Amino acid sequence: MPKVLVVEDNKDNFKIVNYALVRAGYEVLWAERGEDGIDLALKEHPHFILMDINLPGIDGMEATRRIRESEARAIPVIAITAHAMSGDRETIISAGCNGYIEKPIDPITLVEQIHKIIGQDANENPDR
Ligand code: MN
């Protein structure tokens, strides 16, 4: 079962994302802070990371920048953004995110949206 990491400080949002990922067969790791997300990425090497942007402490963009400078740099990172931030696509991509998904999260299409961003092999685990 591929492991994935969700960095999200809002428990209700996490529950929706967790539901969709578990239903699709993923094992879900959860971090509520960016710093903890980086630690888990390094320790667990998840198949991909869903990264909330607005977090306590360092934000999701800074966490992504630090992941890109770490041994976990190859892990795809998909940003989860509030609707008001949808104009910030270039900032999100320049921080190192592979793409972004806008809130509110639709649990029915979430995994499909992830697969569109990271490719068809999202359920496979070729290099880990
Ligand atoms: Mn948040």
Side-chain angles (χ1 to χ4, degrees), residues 8 12 20 22 30 44 63 69-71 76 87-89 103 109 126:
E8 169 63 77
D12 291 331
V22 168
W30 181 25
E44 301 284 348
E69 291 168 359
S70 77
E71 306 230 322
D88 295 342
R89 183 170 199 278
K103 289 179 183 176
T109 61

Side-chain angles (χ1 to χ4, degrees), residues 96-110:
C97 295
N98 297 65
Y100 70 97
I101 293 170
E102 284 179 26
K103 289 179 183 176
I105 296 299
D106 178 355
I108 304 303
T109 61
L110 176 66

Side-chain angles (χ1 to χ4, degrees), residues 8-9 52 54-55 103:
E8 169 63 77
D9 62 312
D52 184 29
N54 294 310
L55 295 167
K103 289 179 183 176

